[in-house]
Amino acid sequence: MDSHDPPAVTSSQQPWHALPPDAVLKAIQGTPDGLSEHEARARLERHGPNVLQRVSGESPLKLLWRQVNNPLIWVLLASAGLAIALGKVTDGIIVLAVVVLNTLIGFVQEFRAGKAIEALTQMVPENATVLREGQKVTVPAAQLVPGDVVVLASGDKVPADVRLLAERNLQVEEAALTGESVPSEKKVAPVDTSAGIGDRTSMAFGGTHVTYGTGTAVVVATGSATELGRISQLLREAVDLQTPLTKALASIGRYLTIAILIISAVLLGVGLLRGYAVAESLLAALTLAVAAIPEGLPAIVTIALAIGVQYMAARRAIIRKLPAVETLGSTTVICSDKTGTLTRNEMTVQALWTPAGFYSLSGVGYSPQGEVRRGDQPLASLPEDARELLVAGALCNDASVRSKDGTWELTGDPTEGALLVAAEKAGLRVEELRSRRSRVDAIPFESENQFMATLNEDERGARSLFLKGAPEVVLRRCDSHEGLDARTVLAEVERLASRGMRVLAVASKSVPGSQQGVRLEDAAGGFRLLGLQGMIDPPREEAIQAVKACHAAGITVKMITGDHAKTAEAIGAQLGILEGGRAVTGAELAEMDEARLRGSATSSNVFARVAPEHKLRLVRALQTEGHVVAMTGDGVNDAPALKQANIGVAMGITGTAVSKEAADIILTDDNFASIAAAVEEGRRVYDNLIKSLAFVLPTNLGLALILIVGVAFFPILHINGEREALLAMLPSQLLWINLVATVALALPLAFEAREPDVMKRPPRRPDSPVLSRFVLMRTVLVAVLMCAGATGLFLWEYNTEVARLGHDMALREAQTMAVTTVIMFQMFYLLNCRSLRDSFFRIGVFSNPFVYLGIGLLALLQLGFIFLPFMQRVFGTAPLTLEALGLCALVGAVVLPVISVEKWWRSRRAQRSRRERGAGRQLPSRVPRRATVG
Ligand code: ATP
């Protein structure tokens, strides 16, 4: 092929749709067999990669505005203004610092989270099948160039603008371009030059989806030269960072703000009544507002979720929609495909059955050293019946295999690859066979048909139709079983299937030499059964372990497969999910009314010969029963079920583009074990959020209590003839704690390691409130303890020292001690929060270095607060003796034993209630109807 520059035209500049295919090929300097590798590379240099330039993410300014546009922040800003107006410039500036710091952290984190999720989505590669010098190869869609011939199949995303060269029942859904969601039929015939995009039936456009059929087409425009490229240059692919949890927290935040404002107003009144100066009262009220508002919380939540997304990606589950991170933690049922997800998708034909005999193919996996045996006798030459069966299996086949270094390299569907390997093992040369009996036409395999048919012509010009597919489907089309009745054959199918084999039946019939194509009607009957091929596809070892882990975590695993019921049962038993039950078939599901379906969906774990529409019904039924359902899918027809499921899981390697776009998660290794890993991470993320809440909220309430107790109950002194309120902390000091502690200490909790029992407890109830009883009780307990410790130590220190040091110095020292006590208290409490239920020794003292980083940082800041003269001036602090520091640490440490007792009491109560429940009615551990929350 010469490498002249083909005309650099876009699809809209040339009326490709109005030209016949050969004219298009000529104009674009291509051939029906595609380009050469060399030519493709040269064109790629000239045209650039086939990617759309997208302006990604939310604009930074909008993101920043979202941080500021929050009632909590408004209250804070108003407080800062008020403080400055009252002449309390220091306090005003600290409040402003709180606002700026929080906004910045929130902004940076959300920005990074958005970018990270975007980058992850791109980790799932988009590929295209192209012809390069007649050979089918898979290349990244980004490498397509004008002139490439692409092969389209149902489920594919059309990778660029293409002009059809051939098609079979091709239907394309063009909603991305035209907004029309009803698929349009595509034909090779040229259309009128003036046809609009939606009427150009001879074209398929980049970004649209093949919903049915197959086709080949030549690429006419790539990247931004495509129709989609032209309209989507300004498309923003925004990553939505909102989740149910962030929304719930935002609404809690609004109520909390109102409540805090009311309490502040009451405090203002109390202060005035007790004779505080107006400015003093106002300052106390606004300090209360600032101290009590958990302004750092939204940022912490986003960070925890973003970290979860990254951990999940490392464990091969790419999150496409952020809420999935949370939902994973409450998943109660996982419905999984069998082939490739629970099994290895390494098909090996082990048995051949023909009406004349039974043969076994020895040799494991893809190694070529197999031999054909009848019974246990090795066969020197292949009997004619077995030969015919293998030949038909190899011809009625779209895969190709190459023997390389003793293993087989496969392109295409593993089921078909296995048939080819079986033929090669038996000494048949597939390539040679295929050239001697060339293919005239084919009906490709579609899951909903469960068969494939080809029309082949031999060297003498005789034509035959070959049919292979699910035995029931093939047998229905056969009128001759070589003297055997269909029931005998089906019994044979069951015998193979119950050994866990996928069984394909193969049949053929002669047709007139004049027959040009094969239509569905042609494949409807009149075939002669050639035999059965049984192939094994063993379960993945890690899937067996993951199923066990799910069971321990109170999650039911259900297998949904298109395979035969007996095959499904055998594999289900090996995986440990059948549990003595039996497989329910799609046909049975179709007969059931909604009530029976709900019963069956809950009680059965293996579903066989299931069509995509059954999947949708199953998800709905399970959801009606209160389950949170994760569902896997790979085909184009799985999209509705994936969307309906609480978590749609698509396969990164074998999944169709359509299923990936409908999913919430994409598995980069197609492995069931990665779903279990994602669930584990989801639970960890949620735990860490609760830990952050359990840490942050008591701090806010504790600080508020310290202030309220002071204003409402502490004596008002008369010093040098002036009234002066005795307060355990100055407003600026309170704000200091608020500023440094939340940031330095709450963030590290988002990195906390998994709790040891994370996969041993039942799933979280999705409707359980964020502020559970546990969080509320913990908040009150810790806040009261903190307030009592700090104010108690303050009063004790002031009273002991006032005589020796005088009012001013004693007050400064006592206040510095109160602040230090709270900081110490928080450091110890942080260690406690590392685990919700256990002592932190069990999750590993050093398993989260960020915690110690936070504590170290805070310790340094606090030392500065106490000892730096500049800080002493700003915050009114005084240097403390080692003894005083020790005392603060001791009082702060009280929280450790108290919370340990609380955890012990909680776990005892949980155990007791479990025992009582166990004695009452035996709940099957796998079906967690109602789960507890920590
Ligand atoms: P799983 O859920 O286990 O991944 P599936 O639902 O994807 O399986 P399909 O691939 O749709 O199952 O296969 C359904 C049935 O169709 C198989 O049991 C087999 O009998 C038949 N079959 C599968 N692949 C082919 C093929 N390439 N050609 C002909 N028939 C096939």
Side-chain angles (χ1 to χ4, degrees):
M1 176 174 308
D2 74 20
S3 58
H4 280 336
D5 201 351
V9 284
T10 69
S11 49
S12 53
Q13 283 167 326
Q14 269 270 4
W16 300 115
H17 53 281
L19 297 175
D22 43 350
V24 174
L25 282 172
K26 195 160 163 237
I28 209 138
Q29 291 171 351
T31 72
D33 281 343
L35 304 172
S36 67
E37 280 299 338
H38 173 76
E39 175 65 16
R41 229 172 303 136
R43 289 195 186 190
L44 187 61
E45 294 239 313
R46 283 198 301 271
H47 292 274
N50 175 34
V51 287
L52 293 182
Q53 301 292 329
R54 286 188 192 276
V55 195
S56 60
E58 202 174 3
S59 82
L61 221 61
K62 224 169 125 188
L63 194 65
L64 192 66
W65 171 239
R66 211 145 55 71
Q67 307 296 325
V68 181
N69 184 15
N70 173 341
L72 303 184
I73 300 289
W74 297 340
V75 173
L76 292 182
L77 285 175
S79 308
L82 196 62
I84 292 172
L86 290 173
K88 303 284 181 184
V89 180
T90 316
D91 299 276
I93 289 176
I94 298 174
V95 177
L96 278 181
V98 172
V99 174
V100 171
L101 200 71
N102 269 300
T103 314
L104 267 184
I105 291 178
F107 172 74
V108 171
Q109 289 304 331
E110 286 214 7
F111 191 71
R112 280 185 38 195
K115 283 269 169 276
I117 295 174
E118 247 175 64
L120 287 177
T121 319
Q122 281 154 18
M123 252 172 74
V124 180
E126 277 188 18
N127 290 325
T129 311
V130 297
L131 295 183
R132 291 275 158 90
E133 290 173 326
Q135 288 288 324
K136 263 192 217 171
V137 287
T138 306
V139 299
Q143 287 178 13
L144 287 185
V145 290
D148 259 328
V149 173
V150 293
V151 180
L152 299 173
S154 66
D156 287 353
K157 186 172 181 173
V158 179
D161 285 1
V162 297
R163 169 66 169 89
L164 292 180
L165 302 177
E167 59 84 27
R168 164 167 288 282
N169 303 329
L170 188 67
Q171 293 183 10
V172 177
E173 190 241 324
E174 301 182 317
L177 210 54
T178 60
E180 175 58 58
S181 61
V182 178
S184 67
E185 284 188 16
K186 295 293 178 180
K187 296 279 170 242
V188 176
V191 294
D192 198 58
T193 320
S194 61
I197 297 276
D199 298 323
R200 296 185 187 171
T201 50
S202 56
M203 303 276 302
F205 297 100
T208 61
H209 293 103
V210 180
T211 53
Y212 196 83
T214 52
T216 51
V218 58
V219 174
V220 293
T222 59
S224 48
T226 61
E227 292 296 333
L228 188 67
R230 289 173 347 118
I231 60 166
S232 76
Q233 273 179 355
L234 292 173
L235 268 191
R236 280 185 184 279
E237 284 222 320
V239 176
D240 194 0
L241 290 173
Q242 304 273 334
T243 73
L245 187 66
T246 58
K247 284 184 202 148
L249 279 176
S251 102
I252 291 171
R254 277 192 291 277
Y255 287 117
L256 213 59
T257 308
I258 296 170
I260 290 167
L261 287 179
I262 294 172
I263 298 174
S264 296
V266 172
L267 192 74
L268 177 68
V270 171
L272 290 176
L273 277 179
R274 291 199 64 208
Y276 273 51
V278 179
E280 229 60 50
S281 281
L282 263 176
L283 189 65
L286 76 87
T287 307
L288 176 72
V290 177
I293 290 176
E295 62 281 336
L297 219 45
I300 293 171
V301 174
T302 314
I303 294 166
L305 291 174
I307 293 169
V309 166
Q310 277 161 9
Y311 279 30
M312 286 180 192
R315 300 182 74 181
R316 304 199 180 79
I318 307 286
I319 299 288
R320 288 190 67 241
K321 295 171 192 159
L322 197 58
V325 180
E326 278 168 47
T327 318
L328 272 168
S330 52
T331 302
T332 60
V333 175
I334 305 176
C335 297
S336 173
D337 282 338
K338 174 176 70 69
T339 310
T341 315
L342 289 165
T343 64
R344 292 192 216 150
N345 208 10
E346 287 169 10
M347 303 270 178
T348 315
V349 174
Q350 285 216 315
L352 303 179
W353 177 92
T354 72
F358 179 81
Y359 307 93
S360 85
L361 274 175
S362 49
V364 181
Y366 286 93
S367 103
Q369 277 87 41
E371 50 183 342
V372 184
R373 297 161 169 261
R374 172 181 266 138
D376 272 335
Q377 298 300 311
L379 295 176
S381 67
L382 194 62
E384 192 45 38
D385 57 330
R387 181 187 170 80
E388 234 188 320
L389 174 62
L390 288 168
V391 167
L395 291 175
C396 187
N397 196 313
D398 278 330
S400 57
V401 289
R402 255 191 328 176
S403 169
K404 201 175 156 197
D405 309 330
T407 58
W408 296 95
E409 224 178 60
L410 163 77
T411 317
D413 175 2
T415 302
E416 303 200 330
L419 301 180
L420 296 186
V421 173
E424 291 271 354
K425 278 181 182 175
L428 301 172
R429 299 280 78 92
V430 171
E431 278 311 313
E432 200 187 303
L433 250 174
R434 284 178 168 177
S435 66
R436 272 197 287 117
R437 304 178 75 168
S438 61
R439 184 185 291 185
V440 183
D441 197 13
I443 302 177
F445 174 74
E446 296 265 358
S447 276
E448 55 190 273
N449 296 337
Q450 296 196 347
F451 73 80
M452 167 177 180
T454 59
L455 173 63
N456 294 65
E457 183 181 67
D458 68 14
E459 286 152 321
R460 296 186 315 266
R463 295 195 166 188
S464 347
L465 271 184
F466 293 103
L467 176 73
K468 78 167 199 305
E472 312 89 288
V473 176
V474 172
L475 280 176
R476 231 181 290 138
R477 291 164 165 76
C478 291
D479 46 27
S480 154
H481 313 118
E482 309 282 325
L484 299 173
D485 68 358
R487 240 181 302 145
T488 318
V489 183
L490 286 175
E492 198 55 45
V493 172
E494 293 217 346
R495 199 172 67 81
L496 294 176
S498 55
R499 284 157 59 187
M501 290 191 203
R502 163 172 278 201
V503 186
L504 290 193
V506 185
S508 72
K509 72 172 172 185
S510 302
V511 291
S514 58
Q515 180 156 344
Q516 290 307 319
V518 39
R519 293 161 304 161
L520 280 176
E521 307 85 273
D522 302 321
F527 284 90
R528 175 173 69 95
L529 180 74
L530 298 176
L532 307 172
Q533 300 205 29
M535 51 190 83
I536 53 150
D537 173 22
R540 292 174 183 261
E541 192 45 49
E542 61 276 27
I544 298 177
Q545 298 311 323
V547 167
K548 278 200 191 120
C550 286
H551 285 172
I555 298 167
T556 316
V557 180
K558 294 181 190 282
M559 181 170 92
I560 301 186
T561 171
D563 247 329
H564 193 279
K566 291 287 173 222
T567 314
E569 282 173 3
I571 300 286
Q574 289 173 33
L575 285 161
I577 59 181
L578 190 65
E579 294 187 329
R582 65 170 196 95
V584 176
T585 65
E588 287 169 332
L589 290 177
E591 301 270 286
M592 292 180 191
D593 60 17
E594 293 307 314
R596 276 193 56 212
L597 180 74
R598 285 202 297 274
S600 182
T602 331
S603 62
S604 310
N605 288 344
V606 175
F607 299 86
R609 287 285 189 244
V610 169
E613 66 270 19
H614 301 142
K615 279 189 171 181
L616 184 62
R617 284 186 73 204
L618 277 175
V619 176
R620 291 215 175 109
L622 286 166
Q623 286 172 330
T624 319
E625 288 292 291
H627 283 288
V628 177
V629 185
M631 163 77 86
T632 70
D634 47 12
V636 55
N637 299 325
D638 288 336
L642 292 181
K643 283 192 185 141
Q644 175 70 36
N646 303 78
I647 307 260
V649 185
M651 303 296 139
I653 305 171
T654 57
T656 54
V658 174
S659 64
K660 288 180 198 168
E661 272 163 42
D664 303 287
I665 307 184
I666 299 176
L667 305 181
T668 56
D669 61 353
D670 291 10
N671 191 337
F672 178 81
S674 305
I675 309 178
V679 168
E680 191 172 309
E681 287 301 330
R683 291 185 172 196
R684 188 183 66 91
V685 169
Y686 207 87
D687 273 358
N688 288 355
L689 284 171
I690 300 293
K691 287 173 195 177
S692 304
L693 274 181
F695 178 77
V696 171
L697 293 182
T699 312
N700 288 298
L701 182 64
L703 291 180
L705 283 183
I706 291 174
L707 199 75
I708 292 173
V709 167
V711 173
F713 303 112
F714 278 17
I716 294 190
L717 305 176
H718 294 269
I719 311 280
N720 303 334
E722 282 191 27
R723 290 165 64 90
E724 189 177 325
L726 191 66
L727 281 179
M729 281 175 208
L730 294 174
S732 61
Q733 295 171 340
L734 241 130
L735 296 174
W736 161 260
I737 299 175
N738 195 321
L739 178 68
V740 294
T742 339
V743 175
L745 295 186
L747 283 184
L749 284 176
F751 292 89
E752 202 45 73
R754 280 190 294 280
E755 304 239 345
D757 72 340
V758 73
M759 286 297 266
K760 301 219 164 54
R761 51 179 136 102
R764 171 175 59 84
R765 277 178 62 169
D767 56 353
S768 61
V770 184
L771 292 185
S772 59
R773 221 173 47 199
F774 160 74
V775 174
L776 290 177
M777 277 173 59
R778 178 61 79 76
T779 301
V780 173
L781 174 68
V782 175
V784 168
L785 211 60
M786 182 173 175
C787 172
T791 45
L793 194 62
F794 165 81
L795 288 177
W796 179 79
E797 175 72 12
Y798 178 79
N799 287 328
T800 2
E801 297 293 341
V802 69
R804 189 169 65 87
L805 300 173
H807 168 77
D808 271 1
M809 202 50 214
L811 185 64
R812 271 177 166 243
E813 217 177 86
Q815 283 177 334
T816 310
M817 278 180 79
V819 173
T820 311
T821 306
V822 170
I823 295 274
M824 292 287 189
F825 190 91
Q826 284 190 304
M827 290 177 181
F828 286 114
Y829 181 52
L830 180 71
L831 294 181
N832 245 319
C833 280
R834 292 195 51 210
S835 170
L836 291 174
R837 299 167 184 78
D838 280 319
S839 128
F840 79 94
F841 290 107
R842 272 201 67 200
I843 59 167
V845 177
F846 296 110
S847 55
N848 180 5
F850 294 101
V851 162
Y852 300 98
L853 209 72
I855 291 182
L857 182 71
L858 187 58
L860 273 180
L861 288 169
Q862 186 59 19
L863 284 176
F865 179 82
I866 301 172
F867 293 107
L868 287 181
F870 155 72
M871 296 283 236
Q872 290 169 355
R873 261 197 315 281
V874 172
F875 290 101
T877 52
L880 295 182
T881 60
L882 206 60
E883 194 192 339
L885 280 175
L887 204 61
C888 295
L890 203 68
V891 175
V894 167
V895 72
L896 276 179
V898 173
I899 297 298
S900 297
V901 169
E902 183 235 36
K903 280 182 183 170
W904 170 80
W905 173 75
R906 199 175 280 285
S907 87
R908 250 190 48 145
R909 218 182 46 155
Q911 258 171 17
R912 199 172 329 130
S913 78
R914 258 202 302 274
R915 258 203 310 275
E916 278 163 15
R917 242 185 309 142
R921 76 201 142 100
Q922 201 67 44
L923 261 186
S925 64
R926 311 282 152 72
V927 189
R929 300 301 308 273
R930 284 291 168 249
T932 51
V933 210

